[in-house]
Amino acid sequence: MPTVKILNLTSKEVGELELPDTVFGVEMNEPLIHEAVRSFMANRRAGTSATKSRGDVSGAGRKLWKQKGTGRARIASLRSPLWKGGGNVHGPQPRDWSYNLPKKMRKRAICSAISERLREGNLVIVEEWKLEQPKTKDFLSTLSGLNLSGKTLIVDSLKNTNLMLASRNVQTAKVVNSYGVNIYDLVYHQKLVLTPKSVEELTDILRPRAKDDEEQYGSREVLGGPTKSRPASGRRGVSA
């Protein structure tokens, strides 16, 4: 089990904390992280892009001129894609881009990303992120006191109102709770800041569970009792 130092807001060591290997000691799995980020981005797509087909544009439905005898090309409708202002052919239509990634894969990808931040030395454990007033200046001073430069992800309780209000104008920092941690934020932010309570919550959320490892295709009970054996093969209507 890896052991990390617990710091206060002035970057002084106040204790140590052992991190469980099930969450913080997972090997790097780059293909799995890539697939989890791809699924996360696909689920965020609005899918609202659309074009008007010939049934959506305005225009008369009458035939503009007769079929033959004019010397011009035949035409059926003013809303044809061949005409200016006509409908679009095979254009984008609203669709759902989201797809489901198995829960075990999502959890494993998050654990792999968190473990990699720990191996890089970019994981910081803070005893308590307590601000006297919700001021951005105080929040920035705590970041500099902890030597946190660049994009920083802070995992703390959303009930910490002063922290939430003081950090919302800082573009390089983001505050979420343990249930709001996702794979995209872990990859996007360079630094990860946790508290002992958030470590406990993440361990409870991400640890492998016995029911997740159970075989899904085991023996199944059949409603109404055991299944009946099939009759012997033979011609229909002929008794054995």
Side-chain angles (χ1 to χ4, degrees):
M1 297 178 68
T3 303
V4 295
K5 299 178 181 179
I6 302 177
L7 308 177
N8 56 15
L9 295 182
T10 60
S11 192
K12 293 183 179 180
E13 182 180 350
V14 295
E16 292 184 349
L17 179 65
E18 290 187 353
L19 302 177
D21 290 332
T22 56
V23 177
F24 297 90
V26 181
E27 295 182 358
M28 178 64 174
N29 192 337
E30 188 174 351
L32 180 60
I33 293 178
H34 175 268
E35 184 62 28
V37 173
R38 185 169 173 267
S39 173
F40 181 84
M41 297 298 293
N43 295 342
R44 290 185 60 184
R45 294 187 66 171
T48 55
S49 59
T51 55
K52 291 184 179 181
S53 64
R54 64 184 300 168
D56 300 324
V57 297
S58 61
R62 67 181 180 87
K63 190 175 180 64
L64 297 181
W65 53 78
K66 61 181 183 178
Q67 182 84 349
K68 296 178 178 293
T70 63
R72 302 188 64 181
R74 54 192 175 185
I75 186 173
S77 172
L78 188 64
R79 292 176 288 185
S80 170
L82 302 177
W83 284 72
K84 181 179 181 300
N88 194 0
V89 181
H90 304 305
Q93 296 296 327
R95 58 168 293 184
D96 183 14
W97 291 92
S98 63
Y99 65 94
N100 185 30
L101 192 69
K103 181 171 60 176
K104 291 173 65 175
M105 294 179 64
R106 293 197 305 266
K107 287 184 176 182
R108 197 68 176 178
I110 293 177
C111 292
S112 180
I114 293 177
S115 301
E116 187 64 19
R117 287 289 179 256
L118 176 61
R119 285 188 289 267
E120 295 171 349
N122 293 327
L123 177 63
V124 180
I125 306 296
V126 176
E127 179 185 16
E128 183 181 10
W129 205 299
K130 186 177 181 181
L131 299 177
E132 297 297 333
Q133 294 179 345
K135 292 187 176 181
T136 304
K137 181 179 180 181
D138 297 341
F139 175 71
L140 292 176
S141 65
T142 57
L143 288 180
S144 61
L146 291 169
N147 298 324
L148 295 174
S149 59
K151 300 170 184 176
T152 305
L153 179 64
I154 302 172
V155 183
D156 199 355
S157 174
L158 297 182
K159 295 181 180 179
N160 193 348
T161 309
N162 290 343
L163 176 61
M164 296 293 297
L165 296 177
S167 63
R168 61 181 178 178
N169 287 334
V170 182
Q171 296 183 357
T172 58
K174 182 178 181 180
V175 180
V176 296
N177 63 353
S178 301
Y179 295 93
V181 176
N182 57 72
I183 186 62
Y184 179 81
D185 287 337
L186 291 173
V187 174
Y188 178 77
H189 294 87
Q190 302 169 354
K191 303 286 186 177
L192 177 62
V193 182
L194 304 176
T195 61
K197 183 172 180 57
S198 62
V199 169
E200 181 181 353
E201 292 176 349
L202 285 175
T203 302
D204 185 63
I205 295 172
L206 299 175
R207 66 180 179 182
R209 303 184 185 276
K211 64 179 181 180
D212 294 338
D213 298 332
E214 290 179 356
E215 184 65 35
Q216 299 294 330
Y217 302 100
S219 58
R220 299 179 181 178
E221 295 183 357
V222 181
L223 296 179
T227 56
K228 298 180 181 180
S229 58
R230 291 185 177 183
S233 58
R235 291 184 299 172
R236 184 176 300 177
V238 180
S239 58

